Amino acid sequence: MKKRVICVSGILIFVCAVLVMPGEILIWQSGRELDVVEMVPEDRYRSGNSAFAGEAPDKLSNEEKMQLIRGSWDSEISEAGEQEMKLQEYEAVKLAREKLTELYNKGEFPADLEQVYQNWHGWQAKSYKAVDTTFHTHTAYFWEILFERFDQAETYTVWMLEDGTIFEK
């Protein structure tokens, strides 16, 4: 009879422990992790690893892109790869010439780069991106295009978003 009482009470203690202990362990663990800040690895939020990143540049307004480029938002500017840009160099230059001609016709740009005779301008283009430093998910792509007259008497540096928006940096 004593063995039976010891066995039954052992089983009851075991069953109670199995039912109560997991909850107590969870409470103890969560209390231990409360008010503890852990750094999230940076590669978890890199734009290349984010499903949101592919659409993020298209979701930004031109004003938000300008804030990234000018540093109003914390951002890093670096050269962009050819595969990252929507436009090829020659397409960006063509678009910039068109936009500058519009500005010239309004009297807001000093030279007509479309004029062929005695005003030939060569060009060099570089692509850049400004990426927010917080989550690395917002990116603004832009071009720096240098137009230089054939005799090097005139040079114009133009900053342009991929949609053709000309801006001052």
Side-chain angles (χ1 to χ4, degrees):
M1 178 82 169
K2 276 187 171 183
K3 284 186 177 183
R4 196 176 201 177
V5 170
I6 292 175
C7 226
V8 168
S9 42
I11 290 173
L12 287 174
I13 290 173
F14 178 76
V15 168
C16 287
V18 167
L19 293 175
V20 173
M21 286 306 288
E24 291 300 315
I25 290 172
L26 286 175
I27 290 171
W28 173 76
Q29 251 183 339
S30 66
R32 191 181 70 184
E33 294 174 2
L34 192 63
D35 293 329
V36 175
V37 177
E38 291 186 26
M39 295 301 293
V40 177
E42 197 172 298
D43 61 338
R44 296 285 302 261
Y45 289 102
R46 287 265 180 221
S47 61
N49 295 340
S50 172
F52 173 68
E55 296 178 12
D58 297 331
K59 302 282 186 199
L60 292 176
S61 68
N62 281 352
E63 184 179 326
E64 291 169 328
K65 290 176 186 177
M66 297 309 303
Q67 289 174 343
L68 269 175
I69 293 167
R70 291 185 176 141
S72 298
W73 289 0
D74 290 334
S75 62
E76 299 171 342
I77 295 179
S78 61
E79 285 195 37
E82 194 176 309
Q83 69 281 359
E84 294 179 82
M85 304 302 284
K86 290 180 184 175
L87 301 173
Q88 298 293 320
E89 278 186 13
Y90 69 91
E91 294 172 318
V93 170
K94 181 181 177 203
L95 182 58
R97 282 182 191 242
E98 291 170 3
K99 296 296 181 176
L100 291 173
T101 299
E102 289 175 19
L103 291 174
Y104 173 77
N105 291 335
K106 292 178 184 177
E108 297 174 5
F109 191 72
D112 183 5
L113 299 180
E114 293 291 337
Q115 248 183 11
V116 177
Y117 298 105
Q118 297 183 358
N119 200 19
W120 296 335
H121 286 83
W123 56 269
Q124 296 175 5
K126 288 184 183 176
S127 55
Y128 293 94
K129 62 182 174 181
V131 181
D132 75 291
T133 56
T134 307
F135 294 110
H136 297 276
T137 54
H138 290 38
T139 306
Y141 295 98
F142 61 100
W143 291 92
E144 174 190 23
I145 304 170
L146 173 69
F147 291 101
E148 186 173 45
R149 198 168 120 167
F150 72 96
D151 63 358
Q152 298 164 344
E154 298 174 352
T155 59
Y156 303 102
T157 302
V158 176
W159 299 91
M160 182 181 78
L161 296 176
E162 288 202 303
D163 68 353
T165 303
I166 305 289
F167 65 91
E168 291 183 32
K169 191 168 179 223

